[in-house]
Amino acid sequence: MYSLLALAPIITVFLFLVILRWPAKRAMFIALVVTSVLAITVWGVAGTVVAASIIQGAIIALTLLWIIFGAILLLNTLTNSGAVSTIRRGFIDISPDRRIQAIIIAWMFGAFIEGAAGFGTPAAVAAPLLVAVGFPAMAAVMVALIIQSTPVTFGAVGTPVLVGVNTGLNTPLVVDAAQAAGYQYNAAVGSGYLYHIGFTAALIHATVGVLIPLFLAVMLTRFFGKNKSIKEGLEVAPFAIFAGLAFVVPYLAIAYLLGPEFPSMLGGLIGLAIVVFAAKNNFLTPKTTWDFPPKKDWVQDWMGTYTGEVGEERPGMTLFKAWVPYVLVGIFLVASRMIAPLKAALTKALPDVSTLTTIRFDNILGTSVSTNAQLFYSPGFIFLVVVLCTYFIQGMKKEELSASFSQSFKTMIIAAPALLMAVPMVRVFINSGMNGSGLQSMPLELAAGVAAFAGGTWPAFAGVIGALGAFIAGSNTVSNMMFSLFQYGVATEIGAAQTVVVALQAVGGAAGNMITVHNVVAASATVGLVDREGDIIRKTLIPMTYYLVFAAILGFILLSMGFGIRL
């Protein structure tokens, strides 16, 4: 009964957002009310804890809006400087085929940004860039969200494994069992227990994810082509599969050789160089060039407030100078996460008031609910720094920069209501474990019900729970925090290798990013596409379902072969 009740908030979101196609700000408000009422009346959560969770969610939502603002500001700055028109010409010079452009920008460049920053940043970068080179806003958001899958488990320099899985499993039960079996409980290459979970996840991702570039092409031609043709998407299959391999082969090799920090970042960088070279030399590219219908024939629902009109190229704006800001984004993101003194400076917390880089909100309303805001460690701050660099590098006028700030602020305000409803609902859902009823939190009660139903077939559902966690929480990292120990326990109970089942959790959590509400809202906001979140999720459910089904099949194969570590 409690599992079914815990499912009610998720059903509410799907009913109003996906089926009835309500705008996210209205659907998520209803979901917030339903979740809060359940938390208080059934779970016995104190009203102050619910209120504190809503405040916690609002603070987190504001940090997400900071990222959105930075991403939009960078795009508007590059548009007003004339750089975007040069970038668009550069992509057309590589290939005028929209299918290939989507693969290069979203799959390859997006994977690199995911590896460096994570937390929805790739969609916030790739979606507006795709619109700038001529994609409809909805097509750009859909494509940018679909690639939020294979790279995600190793996003933000491995955070979903090194923080998410680690936080979930770092208990005496698991640590002692791993050490008794001769494994260090860390990510040390070869002997680390976390390393084996990460490599198993990489193996599953590499096998399933190799077809994601083809999905991009097929989804584009099916939903946004003049002929609504799947066949036109399949025409690019040789190149798309090559692009898939160009990423997943180095990605898997790096996961094996270096561990969970670098597969997405280095795999994306290596793959980008390979795929751009191949496209420029027409290697495996289709003979026919595919494009969207003329803009006058676009459906109104496809378009956001950002039109992608970028004007003429400006004298002196070379392709190198136009791309420098995106290069700086990558360099600054990597530096802020990999250079220890810089990372410490950007994340230092009070009471060291010499650097107010982390603002803590402890014991909100006298409860144990806490959060923090790392404004300078956030990609939003990185975007702002790059914008200021761009102002000087590209010789902009003050009026152009001022216009960029004004345009970006207006767009961010449009996105705010949906996020300010969605994230508090998530926090109430997760924090429902702080109750007087003795029940587990709603996510864990829901997972327990599924486990009781599944029994020995659990590996087929492990990824689904991971995806559900990501859909709820908006994060693979948080999904792994919530469910990794639960997945470990179920695997132990059914006699399966725990590393494989926990890896399926991580893979499912990555796939769930394709439909996460606040990822959809954030990506849509960067191109001014509002109130169409349900339509986007209906589309991205297709590749997510593919991902979960084939990951489950591969999980069963690995378990039947005796692959993985069973403690």
Side-chain angles (χ1 to χ4, degrees):
M1 181 184 72
Y2 291 116
S3 297
L4 290 174
L5 287 172
L7 190 60
I10 297 163
I11 292 175
T12 301
V13 173
F14 265 85
L15 173 63
F16 290 103
L17 185 64
V18 180
I19 298 175
L20 298 181
R21 303 187 186 187
W22 282 23
K25 57 181 179 284
R26 291 170 57 198
M28 298 311 296
F29 174 74
I30 299 296
L32 173 60
V33 171
V34 169
T35 308
S36 300
V37 169
L38 278 173
I40 293 170
T41 60
V42 178
W43 263 257
V45 180
T48 51
V49 172
V50 171
S53 299
I54 291 172
I55 294 171
Q56 178 194 44
I59 293 166
I60 295 170
L62 290 173
T63 65
L64 293 170
L65 287 168
W66 176 227
I67 297 173
I68 292 169
F69 175 74
I72 300 167
L73 178 62
L74 178 59
L75 175 71
N76 285 329
T77 301
L78 294 177
T79 300
N80 291 333
S81 75
V84 167
S85 59
T86 301
I87 290 171
R88 178 162 63 183
R89 187 253 305 161
F91 275 113
I92 292 172
D93 287 347
I94 294 173
S95 173
D97 194 308
R98 300 299 190 181
R99 299 165 296 188
I100 292 174
Q101 291 174 3
I103 290 168
I104 292 172
I105 296 173
W107 174 245
M108 303 308 321
F109 184 57
F112 167 72
I113 296 296
E114 174 64 35
F119 299 101
T121 309
V125 172
L129 184 53
L130 285 164
V131 173
V133 300
F135 281 58
M138 185 175 284
V141 172
M142 180 194 74
V143 165
L145 287 168
I146 291 173
I147 70 96
Q148 291 282 91
S149 48
T150 311
V152 168
T153 293
F154 306 103
V157 201
T159 296
V161 174
L162 298 177
V163 176
V165 174
N166 182 30
T167 302
L169 292 185
N170 196 0
T171 65
L173 170 72
V174 182
V175 173
D176 293 347
Q179 291 175 346
Y183 295 94
Q184 304 174 52
Y185 181 78
N186 55 31
V189 175
S191 62
Y193 193 65
L194 287 179
Y195 161 82
H196 284 281
I197 293 172
F199 176 70
T200 305
L203 178 61
I204 297 169
H205 271 309
T207 307
V208 180
V210 73
L211 292 182
I212 286 297
L214 184 56
F215 257 98
L216 296 185
V218 170
M219 297 281 285
L220 273 179
T221 61
R222 170 62 183 83
F223 291 108
F224 299 97
K226 178 181 178 181
N227 301 318
K228 299 291 188 289
S229 167
I230 291 175
K231 181 181 177 182
E232 289 176 338
L234 294 174
E235 289 173 357
V236 79
F239 182 85
I241 293 171
F242 170 77
L245 290 169
F247 172 65
V248 301
V249 171
Y251 164 97
L252 184 60
I254 292 162
Y256 178 75
L257 296 171
L258 301 178
E261 291 96 340
F262 304 112
S264 295
M265 187 167 63
L266 295 183
L269 200 58
I270 293 167
L272 180 62
I274 293 170
V275 169
V276 167
F277 179 80
K280 289 187 74 169
N281 289 277
N282 295 317
F283 179 70
L284 298 178
T285 55
K287 294 179 180 179
T288 57
T289 298
W290 184 86
D291 200 351
F292 299 105
K295 197 165 186 177
K296 62 182 178 62
D297 296 331
W298 288 4
V299 178
Q300 185 61 39
D301 288 349
W302 292 3
M303 294 182 282
T305 55
Y306 176 64
T307 62
E309 297 295 337
V310 294
E312 299 294 326
E313 288 192 59
R314 297 191 182 184
M317 183 61 71
T318 64
L319 195 58
F320 174 78
K321 186 186 288 189
W323 267 103
V324 161
Y326 284 113
V327 174
L328 291 178
V329 167
I331 292 172
F332 290 167
L333 284 171
V334 172
S336 65
R337 276 116 182 104
M338 298 303 298
I339 300 175
L342 178 59
K343 181 176 181 179
L346 294 174
T347 59
K348 192 172 288 186
L350 293 170
D352 184 352
V353 294
S354 62
T355 51
L356 304 180
T357 52
T358 295
I359 304 171
R360 300 194 62 85
F361 300 88
D362 293 326
N363 307 117
I364 300 171
L365 301 181
T367 69
S368 59
V369 177
S370 302
T371 190
N372 65 70
Q374 295 181 321
L375 298 182
F376 295 99
Y377 187 64
S378 165
F381 177 69
I382 301 295
F383 289 138
L384 182 61
V385 170
V386 171
V387 164
L388 295 178
C389 293
T390 302
Y391 172 76
F392 293 103
I393 291 170
Q394 298 185 353
M396 294 180 66
K397 298 176 182 177
K398 290 181 181 178
E399 306 82 59
E400 293 171 338
L401 186 61
S402 175
S404 301
F405 272 90
S406 176
Q407 294 159 357
S408 305
F409 184 75
K410 291 175 183 176
T411 304
M412 183 191 68
I413 291 299
I414 294 172
L419 283 175
L420 289 170
M421 293 295 112
V423 186
M425 172 263 173
V426 166
R427 300 317 305 176
V428 174
F429 192 82
I430 292 172
N431 292 342
S432 57
M434 304 177 190
N435 61 60
S437 65
L439 292 169
Q440 300 181 95
S441 66
M442 292 187 203
L444 286 177
E445 288 289 348
L446 177 57
V450 177
F453 168 77
T457 64
W458 177 252
F461 294 89
V464 175
I465 292 297
L468 193 63
F471 174 74
I472 296 163
S475 165
N476 188 12
T477 299
V478 176
S479 178
N480 291 343
M481 285 181 184
M482 286 194 297
F483 292 128
S484 286
L485 185 60
F486 173 82
Q487 300 271 16
Y488 178 95
V490 175
T492 303
E493 208 169 292
I494 65 174
Q498 294 97 332
T499 50
V500 175
V501 175
V502 176
L504 287 169
Q505 152 67 37
V507 170
N513 273 253
M514 291 190 242
I515 62 166
T516 293
V517 175
H518 73 53
N519 274 0
V520 175
V521 172
S524 300
T526 62
V527 295
L529 187 69
V530 293
D531 298 342
R532 310 306 308 173
E533 298 89 356
D535 288 340
I536 294 168
I537 292 175
R538 289 163 73 98
K539 292 178 174 62
T540 54
L541 274 169
I542 299 169
M544 189 202 72
T545 301
Y546 151 77
Y547 220 97
L548 294 178
V549 169
F550 280 86
I553 293 170
L554 188 58
F556 275 117
I557 292 172
L558 292 175
L559 289 169
S560 68
M561 293 169 56
F563 187 90
I565 300 169
R566 179 179 168 187
L567 300 180

